[in-house]
Amino acid sequence: MKPVSELSGRTVVLGVSGGVAAYKSAELARLLVKAGADVRVVMTESAQHFVGPATFQAITGQAVWSDPWDARMPNGMAHIDLTRDAQLILIAPATADCIARLAQGRADDLLSTLCLARDEGCALMVAPAMNRQMWEHPATRRNVATLVDDGTYMEGPAAGEQACGEVGAGRMVEPADLLEAVLSHFTPKSLAGRQVLITAGPTSEAIDPVRVITNLSSGRMGYALAQAAVRAGARVTLVSGPTALALPRGVRRIDVASARDMRDAVMNNLSGTDVFVSVAAVADYRPASPSGRKIKKSADSMSLELVRNPDILAEVAARADAPFCVGFAAESHELDSYAQDKRRSKRLPLVVGNLVSDGLGSEDNLVVLYDDEGRHPLERASKAAVARAILEHISRLLKG
Ligand code: PMT
């Protein structure tokens, strides 16, 4: 199986209208290109007062369009041809004037004409950016309501300090969040209505108030799965050991430290869970009696007595009302046999195996999926792409 870039094969027309936030659209264009999209930029005339077409041309590697009479389009039909094979027009920033013209169905510049002339397969997503009073004005409220009625997806605006110094709603949603909205828009909702519980990251077992036993898990694999599951329409709870990662949009996170904290958080949030994915690198052992005070240096050596931690996945999978359970196996060698053993001993429908040298702490991963039908190797890819492929496999098994 070959994981693919999130937006490969997608064509997005990025409309830029004349607001200060236009400079952020250059970053948005870069993120869309990085995610694999074919990005065509269309600027209004006023947008070019804020940022130049050359910036977008360099980022996307494509011509930038703004003039409906542009002779570069061989048949003189830029207003139609630019969206013919596009699946999305994203306007960011969309000024109050741009929104008003879209609501009226005007066609007096290239961007508004493209929106009017697009066919059904091309959605329209709008990220407003304007002064807070312009946003709150009844005329803008009416225009936005009309666009929403027409099936337009509105992203934002966000609230905060504005370029004019005032504070309120009217800031353009940040480029990373707009990318997330685009990715969500294109993700099939294969987990719609499902509740997914995921553990991620390392656990941390206290030796004394300043020392712990932990491991090198970064949490990236689990967080990538949480993000992919939200995009696929699931309600997601992430029980996370200590990590430095940002919380993916739409995910509910419960922070824990030790394996026993993680076990309690999982059990307290299991009700209603359809799918449990145990990605966390849970410490199998913890110090038998952690010291309440900092241990002082004295003898030349010291021993630490360790006791077994609860096996969270085994406990969940053994329940009469167990959700669909997915385990991970991180091995240094003999991946196939150890992963299969874990699948059998914990009676799991699916185990994701990875060598620690491939997956632990890294940005990408190389995994093999093990289920009743055998082994399914995936190609090495970013953890986001691997997560998508794992979730596609899970939703196929759920349907089966
Ligand atoms: O966090 P990253 O840096 O992105 O790295 C990802 C990863 C390598 C940690 C991840 O891909 C992975 O393999 N996670 C499982 C690591 C592990 O602890 O495997 P294990 O073979 O020890 O455990 C088997 C399964 O039982 C796992 O699903 C584990 O979550 C679960 N387990 C283990 C022990 C325990 N006490 N409770 C558990 O629930």
Side-chain angles (χ1 to χ4, degrees):
M1 270 189 274
K2 188 174 164 43
V4 290
S5 299
E6 286 114 320
L7 295 178
S8 71
R10 303 290 187 184
T11 298
V12 176
V13 172
L14 175 60
V16 184
S17 68
V20 182
Y23 78 94
K24 291 188 182 177
S25 302
E27 170 66 359
L28 177 58
R30 192 188 69 79
L31 294 174
L32 290 167
V33 169
K34 197 172 161 217
D38 172 11
V39 182
R40 295 170 193 167
V41 176
V42 176
M43 303 180 76
T44 64
E45 201 193 319
S46 56
Q48 296 172 53
H49 291 284
F50 293 92
V51 56
T55 304
F56 289 103
Q57 187 164 347
I59 289 170
T60 62
Q62 303 214 42
V64 173
W65 303 86
S66 56
D67 177 4
W69 309 109
D70 196 321
R72 286 173 300 172
M73 194 60 86
N75 58 1
M77 292 283 172
H79 67 290
I80 291 173
D81 286 355
L82 282 173
T83 59
R84 272 303 168 256
D85 52 355
Q87 293 83 38
L88 180 70
I89 301 179
L90 166 61
I91 305 186
T95 59
D97 178 65
C98 171
I99 287 172
R101 286 186 301 113
L102 293 177
Q104 287 171 16
R106 299 275 288 274
D108 52 2
D109 69 359
L110 182 59
L111 185 55
S112 56
T113 315
L114 279 170
C115 292
L116 205 59
R118 76 188 200 280
D119 45 37
E120 265 176 30
C122 180
L124 177 60
M125 189 180 279
V126 167
M130 64 196 75
N131 166 269
R132 67 180 176 86
Q133 276 171 320
M134 294 168 87
W135 174 248
E136 281 156 16
H137 195 282
T140 305
R141 316 295 328 137
R142 275 196 306 277
N143 293 332
V144 168
T146 303
L147 287 188
V148 171
D149 260 8
D150 291 346
T152 305
Y153 300 97
M154 300 300 296
E155 288 299 325
E161 193 174 334
Q162 304 202 292
C164 54
E166 294 181 11
V167 177
R171 284 171 61 90
M172 188 177 92
V173 169
E174 291 301 321
D177 289 332
L178 286 175
L179 173 73
E180 187 55 38
V182 172
L183 293 172
S184 255
H185 172 77
F186 283 123
T187 305
K189 300 294 171 257
S190 56
L191 292 175
R194 305 277 192 183
Q195 198 166 305
V196 176
L197 181 62
I198 298 172
T199 64
T203 59
S204 163
E205 311 293 332
I207 298 171
D208 69 13
V210 292
R211 300 173 180 105
V212 295
I213 295 177
T214 186
N215 59 64
L216 297 176
S217 166
S218 64
R220 286 192 192 100
M221 193 65 247
Y223 278 58
L225 274 155
Q227 184 159 57
V230 165
R231 285 182 196 155
R235 272 168 296 136
V236 180
T237 301
L238 180 65
V239 178
S240 174
T243 75
L245 302 176
L247 180 64
R249 205 181 187 205
V251 172
R252 181 170 79 104
R253 182 173 65 190
I254 300 166
D255 291 316
V256 296
S258 69
R260 286 184 298 171
D261 294 344
M262 185 171 273
R263 183 234 164 243
D264 291 348
V266 166
M267 295 307 162
N268 291 338
N269 287 278
L270 202 56
S271 161
T273 294
D274 300 295
V275 181
F276 174 55
V277 192
S278 183
V279 194
V282 185
D284 288 321
Y285 295 90
R286 67 176 183 278
S289 32
S291 168
R293 294 177 165 200
K294 184 179 174 192
I295 299 170
K296 289 293 175 196
K297 192 165 42 183
S298 51
D300 283 347
S301 64
M302 70 175 280
S303 345
L304 208 53
E305 190 193 345
L306 302 177
V307 292
R308 280 289 289 267
N309 264 329
D311 189 318
I312 307 166
L313 176 59
E315 187 177 340
V316 173
R319 288 169 65 110
D321 61 349
F324 184 92
C325 287
V326 181
F328 269 66
E331 309 296 343
S332 58
H333 57 289
E334 292 180 50
L335 179 62
D336 277 352
S337 63
Y338 285 128
Q340 296 280 23
D341 280 354
K342 277 176 189 161
R343 199 173 90 81
R344 273 189 293 273
S345 65
K346 297 189 188 181
R347 301 217 186 136
L348 305 171
L350 179 64
V351 161
V352 180
N354 48 191
L355 289 172
V356 287
S357 53
D358 288 323
L360 190 67
S362 53
E363 298 282 343
D364 54 11
N365 204 355
L366 178 63
V367 307
V368 181
L369 312 186
Y370 303 88
D371 62 17
D372 283 347
E373 278 161 16
R375 65 193 292 284
H376 312 273
L378 302 187
E379 285 187 14
R380 182 184 294 280
S382 68
K383 285 183 175 169
V386 170
R388 276 199 314 282
I390 293 171
L391 286 181
E392 274 166 28
H393 199 84
I394 292 174
S395 60
R396 269 199 300 277
L397 293 179
L398 285 173
K399 278 185 200 132

